[in-house]
Amino acid sequence: MTKRNTLIDFSSLSEMLYGEEKYISEFSEAAVDSFTEFNNNYKKFLLIRDETSFRKAGHKIKPVAQMLGLDQIVEEYEHAKTLLWDEKPDEDLEKSVSKIDSICTKVITELELRIK
């Protein structure tokens, strides 16, 4: 197994989309919107402890994250749910928000570079 410098597994994406650059670009553009929305909703709903809306945001991004090999997003989302269930302090929620923001920012940058 080789270590890659990117978070996204573009080889799997290319394989799923038959290597068609047009489809990869279209998917990447849609994914930028999806990860931007997820990042915003993750912060908004986690910090106000709105579990229902938070779960909707997570369920919406989970399939896309899994297709792109972004296990760290799924893992942090699952961790954040336990933070809510265990009624952890705001500081713990803010750490999770910061982690997701950092990951999503890198993912969006990688997707935008692929679109160009």
Side-chain angles (χ1 to χ4, degrees), residues 10-83:
F10 282 109
S11 63
S12 289
L13 179 62
S14 182
E15 197 173 294
M16 281 187 288
L17 299 174
Y18 310 106
E20 292 283 336
E21 274 306 313
K22 178 183 176 195
Y23 297 143
I24 295 168
S25 288
E26 288 174 2
F27 180 92
S28 296
E29 287 173 12
V32 166
D33 292 340
S34 294
F35 282 103
T36 300
E37 178 184 341
F38 170 71
N39 194 21
N40 292 334
N41 288 338
Y42 190 97
K43 177 179 183 175
K44 176 181 176 182
F45 297 126
L46 183 60
L47 294 180
I48 63 170
R49 299 176 185 265
D50 179 345
E51 185 180 346
T52 301
S53 297
F54 180 73
R55 289 172 68 95
K56 285 180 185 175
H59 288 296
K60 192 172 177 182
I61 200 67
K62 219 172 171 179
V64 179
Q66 290 171 326
M67 282 193 303
L68 297 175
L70 297 168
D71 296 333
Q72 61 273 59
I73 287 179
V74 176
E75 290 165 7
E76 187 59 29
Y77 162 70
E78 295 296 336
H79 171 70
K81 287 193 304 189
T82 66
L83 295 176

